[in-house]
Amino acid sequence: MKKMNIAIIGLGNIGSFLFKYLKKNKKILSEKNNCSPNIAYVSAKNKKRKRGFKIDNKIWLNNYLDATINKNVDLIIELIGGAEGPAKKLVFNALKNKKHVVTANKALIAKYGDHLSKIAEKNKVNLEF
C-alpha cells in the first residue's frame, strides 16, 4: 500500500485535532483511500506549547518552509491562517515545488485563489480548500 507523507504546518486547534485524528484513524483511512496517511513532519510557531499529545522530535521542522523542498513530503496541510506572511509563502512555495496542498485558509484563497490554481495546474498538483 502506498504511503502518503503529510506535513502539517500549524498546530493550533484545527492542526492539533487533525494530528490526533490521523493518528487515531490511520487504519480506517488506509482502507478507504487505498493509501496510508503518514504524518512525516509538523511545524508550528511555538514548539514548546503544550498540546495534550506528544510530538516526536524527529518529525518536527524548525523551518516550516523545509516541507516545501523535502522529497519525502507528498502533501502539505497549511493551517497557519492569514492571507499574507508565512501562509502565503508556504502555499506558493509548495505548489511551485510540486507538492499537493490542502488549506483551510479562506483569506488566502479569496485573495490569491486564481493565481494559486494556475500554479497548481501548471505543476500538475492539487490545491484543495
Side-chain angles (χ1 to χ4, degrees):
M1 183 175 294
K2 185 182 181 316
K3 229 197 271 193
M4 173 68 72
N5 288 323
I6 301 168
I8 301 173
I9 311 299
L11 287 172
N13 289 332
I14 295 171
S16 294
F17 176 83
L18 178 65
F19 182 90
K20 291 185 277 190
Y21 180 85
L22 290 173
K23 290 284 189 184
K24 181 180 177 187
N25 297 294
K26 189 172 189 170
K27 184 178 178 191
I28 295 166
L29 292 167
S30 298
E31 290 168 0
K32 283 185 176 184
N33 298 296
N34 202 26
C35 76
S36 176
N38 176 50
I39 301 172
Y41 300 100
V42 296
S43 187
K45 195 185 325 183
N46 184 352
K47 184 177 182 178
K48 296 180 194 273
R49 179 179 164 202
K50 292 189 182 189
R51 295 185 168 83
F53 55 90
K54 187 167 172 36
I55 299 172
D56 190 338
N57 277 333
K58 289 185 276 185
I59 69 168
W60 186 270
L61 291 174
N62 289 319
N63 182 349
Y64 70 100
L65 290 174
D66 289 347
T68 65
I69 57 173
N70 190 310
K71 293 192 185 329
N72 292 327
V73 174
D74 302 309
L75 168 66
I76 295 176
I77 301 176
E78 181 273 317
L79 298 168
I80 300 169
E84 302 298 333
K88 177 185 174 188
K89 192 180 257 190
L90 175 70
V91 174
F92 272 89
N93 285 350
L95 294 173
K96 287 176 183 174
N97 286 302
K98 301 181 180 182
K99 304 290 182 194
H100 300 288
V101 173
V102 174
T103 181
N105 192 333
K106 295 179 286 291
L108 182 72
I109 295 301
K111 191 165 186 178
Y112 298 107
D114 289 343
H115 190 108
L116 291 168
S117 294
K118 288 176 185 167
I119 295 170
E121 188 175 345
K122 177 184 170 195
N123 289 304
K124 297 181 172 72
V125 292
N126 292 345
L127 170 64
E128 305 292 337
F129 49 93

